[in-house]
């Protein structure tokens, strides 16, 4: 232990209490022995430190902070240097607010485009996600605070996220869902990691010995603090035993008593508690002397400029017919769309930032363009307004070019809520079609945090996909529209033609309790390129105002080198992508996988030689027969592309591997060897798993880990009524255009989380009684709740009085 001298000064009861949060954002503190409180804040997009009384969902307003582009947007930059600078800006603002741990980045894989939180995650590819996260972590921690990488692991849906089980084979777990964390941890060296809400193969992530001990600590070598997602703790004692350092937000002293009881029964040892206390003290002390900037006003101005630069480099040009962009400044321009007046620049949920300043078109319009007028055109609600439509059409008739701002509204993407489709609200598309009927020069500017269907794209001559571009994003859009910069963003996810093309459509989000990852490794472009399923815009795709020529590829055992030349008339940046595949493999593989990339800036006529080095992940796969990453001998295809579907250069390389045992038989897994995984039968999936498929069916009795939204089939009338009220409140908020985050959280929350997030007001004993009531045992349940309340209250007072006299008071 690093801090045994401090730990010796703590009583057992103090140590047990110390391993759970004191309030929504901070730990307990014992200043007389040098243990200060550790303060957390949400931070994937900007520092969300609440100004008043803290709460997890952000019901109370947070302090003003720079809202950078979301992770999904930044990932389109493919720019590790940019991500590190954004991280540094976030870290400086966090330090200025006395935050020790910034909760981010989020690096979960975009398994399915319907996941409501995809805007918070980088990519469908683990290599790209890991590299960008490592850069962000380095930046955040450059001034002494801690980054907290999340959510470990296999967190791919929001529906019943706290009560569902992700069922997947070990190879898929290691290659797709863990690799991003492996890269981020080994290269970025974060001081903290957050566990996910869900179970992984039947065991909650926060107490999962295989995830935390075998993979995170032993295989990856992580030595920092592990913190639960807020309310994610199930069995606190098992969490402590298996490596979880801190239970958040504020479960109260019932959790401390749980550890004391576990010690008496031999479930855990005091050495387990000491190890976790040591990890918590280490991160507290290592972030104590964080660097603080003196001029916060200047910091916020600098970060706003950085937010605009980040948006400029991340926005993707998807289409540019007849080179309508950059705009001809002599043309008459009409601006149409409510998103131009009130931009949608961030997602909803725990990452929502109270932006310092937000660009909009009215503030930015100057003398650069000949703007003849602006019109809202549509409302945020999915209903047509005849007066707004008429005004927009009349304006479009007078213009040479229409800039149409549109996208997903605030109710479409949110933490706690998965999407039900990939469509833009119909009133916006209806207006677009009417505009196209009177003006053929429509330029679409999209705001959306993730993949959308675009059957209407033929109505647009050009498309700029801004994703969720942060507080300075509108200004970045105009930098690109006017040609001050050439677009350089490349898609970090595939944009499908239609949702039916997604490989796991049949398996997503879940079947009652279990979410079956039957598609295995075939996620995103890995599936589309292998199964030859066409997409609208492929992974890695993005246009520029200039052209790039690739030439002269050379490959050896260590690297691949090639030239890129700017053959156009404008300076620009290009991201060259290295993909690798293998011929005649003895295991099922994707046709190609991203294994490297490099972004280069070139002036017109300039030519540079780039080198991308192979690493330990270039040729490996996870062998379930030997439980190890291995390399298969064979001839590998080496591809250099402008996207996964636009391969410019190709070569081969023979690699001598170390695989002795092949883990699969082709005749047993024919669908996987063909890459056709949209309808995997039980018999084949069972072989892939190497065990029986767990039964995820709901029973007649609700349990403490079932979600409140399951109360619709509860035996208790009171519980069914409570469900109806929750459901009604949620639907009303969604119809109103802005999701109610508090209701969303409650809707998907399991019963046991009532205790974990009640700040000590509810004990686990009371939760068991609540479940009895819900299951129709009214008098037993109610009696247990009432007696449990007074018992818990007395126990809390006794604990504080007898064991926490040295604890600092707020």
């Amino acid at each position: 232990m690093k801090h045994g001298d401090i730990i010796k000064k703590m009583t057992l009861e103090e140590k047990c209490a110390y391993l759970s949060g004191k309030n929504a954002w901070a730990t307990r503190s014992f200043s007389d022995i040098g243990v200060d409180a550790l303060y957390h804040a949400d931070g994937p997009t900007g520092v969300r430190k609440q100004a008043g009384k803290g709460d997890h969902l952000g019901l109370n307003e947070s302090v003003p902070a720079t809202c950078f582009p979301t992770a999904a947007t930044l990932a389109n930059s493919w720019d590790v240097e940019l991500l590190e600078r954004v991280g540094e800006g976030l870290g400086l603002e966090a330090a200025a607010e006395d935050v020790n741990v910034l909760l981010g980045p989020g690096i979960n894989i975009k398994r399915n485009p319907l996941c409501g939180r995809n805007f918070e995650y980088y990519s469908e590819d683990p290599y790209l996600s890991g590299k960008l996260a490592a850069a962000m972590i380095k930046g955040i921690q450059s001034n002494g605070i801690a980054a907290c990488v999340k959510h470990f692991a296999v967190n791919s849906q929001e529906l019943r996220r706290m009560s569902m089980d992700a069922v997947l084979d070990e190879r898929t777990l290691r290659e797709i869902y863990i690799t991003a964390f492996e890269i981020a941890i080994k290269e970025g060296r974060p001081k903290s990691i957050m566990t996910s809400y869900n179970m992984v193969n039947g065991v909650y992530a926060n107490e999962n010995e295989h995830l935390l001990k075998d993979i995170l600590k032993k295989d990856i070598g992580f030595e920092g603090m592990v913190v639960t997602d807020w309310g994610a703790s199930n069995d606190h004692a098992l969490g402590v035993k298996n490596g979880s350092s801190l239970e958040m937000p504020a479960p109260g002293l019932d959790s401390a008593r749980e550890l004391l009881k576990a010690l008496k029964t031999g479930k855990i040892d005091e050495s387990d508690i000491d190890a976790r206390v040591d990890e918590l003290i280490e991160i507290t002390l290592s972030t104590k002397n964080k660097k603080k900037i003196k001029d916060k006003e200047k910091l916020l101005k600098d970060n706003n400029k950085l937010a605009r630069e980040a948006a400029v480099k991340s926005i993707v040009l998807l289409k540019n017919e007849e080179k309508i962009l950059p705009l001809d400044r002599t043309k008459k321009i009409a601006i149409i769309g409510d998103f131009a007046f009130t931009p949608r620049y961030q997602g909803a949920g725990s990452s929502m930032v109270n932006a310092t300043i937000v660009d909009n078109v009215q503030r930015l319009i100057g003398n650069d363009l000949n703007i003849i007028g602006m019109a809202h055109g549509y409302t945020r609600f999915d209903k047509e307004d005849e007066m707004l439509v008429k005004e927009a059409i009349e304006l479009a008739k007078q213009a040479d070019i229409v800039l149409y701002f549109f996208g997903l509204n605030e109710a479409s993407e949110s933490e706690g809520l998965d999407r039900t489709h990939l469509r833009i609200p119909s009133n916006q598309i209806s207006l677009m079609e009417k505009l196209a009927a009177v003006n053929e020069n429509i330029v679409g500017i999209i705001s959306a945090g993730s993949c959308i269907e675009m059957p209407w794209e033929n109505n647009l001559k050009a498309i700029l996909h801004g994703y969720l571009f942060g507080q300075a994003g509108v200004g970045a859009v105009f930098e690109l529209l006017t040609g001050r910069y050439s677009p350089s963003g490349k898609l970090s996810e595939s944009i499908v033609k239609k949702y039916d093309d997604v490989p796991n459509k049949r398996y997503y989000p879940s079947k009652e309790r279990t979410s079956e990852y039957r598609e295995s490794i075939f996620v995103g472009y890995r599936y589309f390129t292998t199964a030859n399923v066409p997409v609208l815009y492929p992974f890695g795709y993005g246009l520029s105002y200039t052209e790039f020529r690739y030439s002269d590829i050379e490959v050896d055992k260590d690297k691949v080198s090639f030239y890129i030349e700017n053959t156009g008339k404008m300076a620009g940046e290009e991201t060259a992508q290295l993909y690798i595949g293998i011929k005649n493999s003895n295991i099922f593989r994707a046709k190609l996988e991203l294994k490297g990339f490099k972004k280069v800036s070139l002036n017109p006529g300039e030519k540079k030689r780039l080198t991308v080095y192979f690493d330990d992940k270039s040729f490996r796969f996870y062998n379930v027969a030997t439980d190890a990453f291995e390399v298969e001998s064979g001839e590998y295809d080496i591809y250099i592309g402008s996207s996964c579907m636009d391969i410019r250069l190709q070569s081969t390389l023979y690699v001598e591997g170390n695989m002795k045992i092949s883990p699969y038989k082709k005749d047993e897994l024919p669908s996987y060897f063909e890459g056709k995984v949209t309808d995997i039968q039980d018999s084949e999936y069972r072989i892939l798993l190497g065990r029986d498929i767990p039964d995820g069916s709901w029973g007649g009795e609700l349990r403490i880990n079932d979600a409140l939204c399951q109360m619709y089939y509860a035996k208790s009338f009171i519980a069914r009524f409570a469900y109806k009220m929750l459901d009604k409140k949620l639907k009303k908020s969604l119809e109103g255009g802005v999701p109610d985050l508090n209701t969303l959280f409650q809707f998907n929350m399991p019963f046991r989380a009532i205790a974990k997030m009640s700040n000590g007001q509810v004990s686990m004993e009371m939760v068991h009684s609540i479940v009895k009531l819900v299951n129709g045992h009214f008098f037993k349940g109610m009696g247990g709740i009432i007696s449990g309340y007074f018992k818990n209250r007395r126990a809390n007072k006794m604990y504080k009085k007898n064991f926490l006299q040295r604890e600092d008071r707020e």
Side-chain angles (χ1 to χ4, degrees):
M1 291 189 297
K2 293 182 180 179
H3 305 288
D5 56 331
I6 297 177
I7 295 172
K8 287 178 182 177
K9 298 174 184 177
M10 300 177 73
T11 67
L12 176 60
E13 291 79 8
E14 286 174 338
K15 290 187 291 187
C16 289
Y18 184 50
L19 296 182
S20 295
K22 184 172 184 176
N23 56 44
W25 299 108
T27 64
R28 299 179 186 276
S29 60
F30 304 90
S31 58
D32 64 324
I33 56 172
V35 179
D36 295 333
L38 187 74
Y39 291 94
H40 302 74
D42 280 313
T45 303
V47 179
R48 192 178 76 89
K49 181 183 178 183
Q50 288 173 277
K53 186 177 179 181
D55 69 274
H56 171 46
L57 297 173
L59 303 180
N60 295 317
E61 191 173 76
S62 55
V63 298
T66 306
C67 182
F68 288 95
T70 65
T73 315
L74 288 173
N76 294 332
S77 73
W78 294 62
D79 191 329
V80 292
E81 185 271 338
L82 174 68
L83 269 286
E84 186 166 345
R85 287 195 290 125
V86 169
E88 185 178 355
L90 284 167
L92 287 169
E93 286 193 35
E97 295 295 340
D98 284 321
V99 170
N100 301 80
V101 182
L102 199 63
L103 302 178
I107 62 174
N108 294 101
I109 297 301
K110 299 182 184 183
R111 177 193 176 208
N112 183 286
L114 290 181
C115 176
R117 213 167 177 179
N118 275 350
F119 65 87
E120 277 195 64
Y121 304 140
Y122 289 121
S123 177
E124 65 191 33
D125 181 78
Y127 186 88
L128 179 61
S129 297
K131 290 291 184 179
L132 296 177
M136 177 71 80
I137 293 162
K138 290 176 185 176
I140 290 172
Q141 297 190 162
S142 62
N143 71 325
I145 73 161
C148 183
V149 185
K150 60 184 188 180
H151 310 88
F152 191 77
V154 205
N155 183 191
S156 305
Q157 69 182 61
E158 291 299 287
L159 179 67
R160 295 188 297 274
R161 59 184 177 169
M162 299 174 78
S163 58
M164 54 77 57
D165 182 13
V167 179
L168 73 171
D169 65 286
E170 187 72 10
R171 181 182 171 201
T172 301
L173 173 66
R174 299 280 192 148
E175 289 188 20
I176 303 298
Y177 297 97
I178 296 295
T179 292
F181 287 96
E182 178 187 356
I183 295 170
I185 291 167
K186 287 183 176 179
E187 297 182 14
R189 301 182 68 81
K191 297 177 183 178
S192 180
I193 192 166
M194 180 189 289
T195 51
S196 57
Y197 282 125
N198 52 282
M199 288 177 276
V200 179
N201 290 326
V203 183
Y204 273 100
N206 190 66
E207 61 200 50
N208 194 308
E209 182 178 5
H210 183 52
L211 275 182
L212 299 184
K213 280 190 171 181
D214 298 342
I215 297 177
L216 181 62
K217 298 206 169 187
K218 180 182 175 184
D219 294 350
I220 298 179
F222 179 71
E223 297 179 344
M225 178 189 76
V226 175
V227 60
T228 70
D229 201 342
W230 268 227
S233 177
N234 172 53
D235 187 317
H236 183 38
L238 280 182
V240 168
K241 181 181 180 66
N242 291 318
S244 179
S245 322
L246 177 63
E247 183 186 43
M248 289 296 286
L253 292 170
D254 188 43
S255 283
R257 297 194 296 271
E258 179 186 343
L259 294 183
L260 291 174
K261 182 179 178 181
L263 278 168
K264 289 180 180 179
T265 62
K267 186 176 182 178
I268 61 173
D269 297 323
E270 189 168 357
S271 61
D272 297 320
I273 292 174
D274 287 347
R276 306 292 83 80
V277 170
D278 194 53
E279 292 158 356
L280 189 48
I281 291 174
E282 169 62 20
I283 194 171
T284 302
L285 295 181
S286 70
T287 58
K288 185 175 183 178
N289 297 317
K290 49 192 172 291
K291 303 172 191 172
K292 291 187 182 181
I293 197 162
K294 294 181 179 179
D295 191 343
K296 187 178 178 184
E297 185 177 346
K298 182 180 184 301
L299 170 62
L300 294 177
K301 286 182 180 179
D302 290 344
N303 274 354
N304 187 60
K305 291 178 183 177
L306 179 57
R308 178 178 287 199
E309 179 189 349
V312 166
K313 293 189 173 186
S314 302
I315 293 170
V316 185
L317 179 63
L318 296 178
K319 185 176 182 180
N320 193 20
E321 291 182 355
E322 299 175 20
K323 296 185 177 179
I324 191 172
L325 296 179
L327 294 170
D328 183 339
R329 295 168 192 264
T330 66
K331 301 289 187 180
K332 293 183 290 182
I333 308 293
I335 294 174
I336 296 174
D338 191 63
F339 279 43
F341 294 83
T342 308
R344 180 165 179 257
Y345 58 94
Q346 65 176 327
S350 60
S351 66
M352 187 174 287
V353 179
N354 179 16
T356 56
I357 185 172
V358 180
D359 284 351
N360 61 39
V361 172
Q362 296 137 299
R363 184 180 291 118
L364 291 166
I365 290 176
N367 299 320
D368 286 352
L369 296 172
N370 180 18
I371 307 295
I372 63 168
M374 294 179 63
H376 285 268
Y378 58 82
T379 67
R380 282 300 217 262
F381 309 103
D382 193 3
K383 294 178 182 178
E384 285 201 29
D385 184 308
E386 291 184 10
M387 290 184 62
L388 292 179
V389 171
K390 183 178 180 181
E391 178 190 14
I393 291 173
E394 291 303 313
L395 179 60
K397 288 178 181 177
Q398 303 169 38
D400 297 315
I401 298 173
V402 172
L403 302 181
Y404 185 51
F405 289 77
F406 69 111
L408 293 176
N409 60 27
E410 285 77 3
S412 299
E413 301 172 285
S414 173
E415 177 181 357
L417 183 73
D418 289 318
R419 297 159 69 191
T420 57
H421 57 76
L422 299 182
R423 299 186 297 276
I424 295 284
S426 60
N427 65 333
Q428 298 182 37
I429 303 308
S430 174
L431 175 61
M432 177 199 297
E433 291 168 345
K434 290 172 182 175
L435 295 175
V438 299
N439 191 318
E440 64 179 5
N441 295 316
I442 312 290
V443 175
I445 297 96
I446 301 173
S447 291
S450 50
C451 177
I452 51 176
E453 292 175 344
M454 301 184 188
W456 34 258
E457 62 134 12
N458 60 304
N459 292 293
L460 302 174
K461 193 157 281 186
I463 302 174
L464 268 181
H465 198 330
Y467 272 72
L468 298 179
F469 43 43
Q471 67 181 46
V474 174
V477 165
F478 276 86
E479 302 259 28
L480 297 171
L481 288 173
T482 56
R484 183 173 179 183
Y485 297 102
S486 175
S488 63
K490 300 267 192 177
L491 292 174
S492 61
E493 64 182 330
S494 308
I495 294 184
V496 297
K497 289 187 174 182
K498 57 187 185 303
Y499 182 64
D500 285 347
D501 294 333
V502 173
N504 45 36
K505 178 192 173 185
R506 290 174 182 261
Y507 325 130
Y508 190 88
S510 61
K511 175 188 175 183
E512 299 184 349
R513 285 194 176 94
T514 55
S515 181
E516 298 175 350
Y517 286 53
R518 295 194 179 212
E519 73 279 3
S520 184
I521 64 169
F522 295 102
V523 175
Y525 74 89
R526 283 171 166 79
Y527 167 73
F528 300 123
T529 56
T530 305
N532 295 315
V533 175
V535 297
L536 187 61
Y537 295 111
F539 176 83
Y541 172 89
L543 299 177
S544 171
Y545 293 154
T546 190
E547 302 291 333
F548 300 97
R549 183 170 64 199
Y550 292 63
S551 64
D552 302 319
I553 186 171
E554 292 183 2
V555 177
D556 62 34
K557 64 182 181 64
D558 298 316
K559 62 187 181 299
V560 53
S561 301
F562 51 95
Y563 281 104
I564 294 185
E565 181 181 3
N566 183 344
T567 59
K569 298 179 180 179
M570 185 174 180
E573 291 181 289
E574 170 72 341
T575 300
Q577 301 153 39
L578 166 65
Y579 296 92
I580 296 178
I582 184 173
K583 300 178 184 294
N584 305 315
S585 177
N586 290 311
I587 64 171
F588 63 84
R589 309 283 284 255
K591 179 182 177 181
L592 47 77
E593 298 179 348
L594 182 74
K595 298 297 182 180
F597 58 92
K598 214 157 212 186
K599 191 165 189 175
V600 60
S601 178
L602 295 167
N603 291 316
E606 188 176 7
K607 184 177 182 180
K608 289 182 180 178
R609 188 159 188 81
L610 302 185
T611 299
V612 181
Y613 288 90
F614 302 132
D615 61 23
D616 62 333
K617 297 164 191 68
S618 297
F619 304 102
R620 75 178 192 178
F621 79 100
Y622 192 82
N623 192 332
V624 294
T626 59
D627 289 327
F629 277 106
E630 295 179 352
V631 175
E632 183 182 12
S633 297
E635 190 173 80
Y636 287 79
D637 291 310
I638 309 298
Y639 306 98
I640 296 296
S642 185
S643 80
C644 72
M645 296 295 291
D646 183 10
I647 301 302
R648 303 293 182 90
L649 302 170
Q650 185 173 347
S651 186
T652 59
L653 177 69
Y654 183 83
V655 175
E656 188 68 43
N658 61 348
M659 185 183 82
K660 304 296 183 184
I661 304 172
S662 179
Y664 307 117
K665 295 179 181 179
K666 191 172 183 178
D667 60 341
E668 292 181 343
L669 300 169
S671 302
Y672 293 104
F673 275 87
E674 293 175 12
K676 297 178 179 178
V677 295
T678 56
D679 189 16
I680 299 295
Q681 299 302 303
D682 286 358
S683 57
E684 196 170 352
Y685 187 47
R686 192 177 294 112
I687 292 171
L688 179 74
L689 283 178
R691 61 185 186 278
D692 287 337
I693 303 168
D695 182 5
S697 303
W698 291 333
E701 294 277 313
L702 286 161
R703 303 177 298 195
I704 64 168
N705 280 322
D706 286 324
L708 300 190
C709 63
Q710 294 172 232
M711 288 194 299
Y712 73 88
Y713 66 80
K715 293 178 182 178
S716 166
F717 165 76
I718 297 172
R720 293 196 303 274
F721 179 77
Y723 164 78
K724 287 180 181 178
M725 292 297 99
L726 267 178
D727 187 54
K728 183 178 179 180
K729 189 176 180 182
L730 178 58
K731 287 177 179 175
K732 186 177 180 180
S733 77
L734 293 175
E735 289 170 1
V738 180
D740 184 323
L741 299 178
N742 191 32
T743 304
L744 267 177
F745 193 86
Q746 293 170 3
F747 198 74
N748 290 296
M749 182 175 77
F751 292 98
R752 50 105 176 147
I754 298 171
K756 298 299 183 181
M757 301 192 70
S758 67
N759 204 19
Q761 298 302 306
V762 178
S763 66
M764 285 301 298
E765 181 181 339
M766 292 170 65
V767 168
H768 283 283
S769 295
I770 291 170
V771 173
K772 283 181 183 178
L773 186 152
V774 166
N775 284 321
H777 307 288
F778 176 81
F779 292 106
K780 279 187 178 180
M782 185 58 70
I785 293 169
I786 294 171
S787 64
Y789 171 78
F790 289 105
K791 183 179 177 181
N792 180 58
R793 188 177 176 185
R794 286 193 301 270
N796 287 342
K797 286 183 177 179
M798 288 285 290
Y799 204 108
K800 287 181 181 178
K801 180 180 178 181
N802 295 335
F803 306 127
L804 296 181
Q805 294 177 0
R806 292 195 306 173
E807 181 191 2
D808 297 328
R809 303 302 175 196
E810 292 180 345

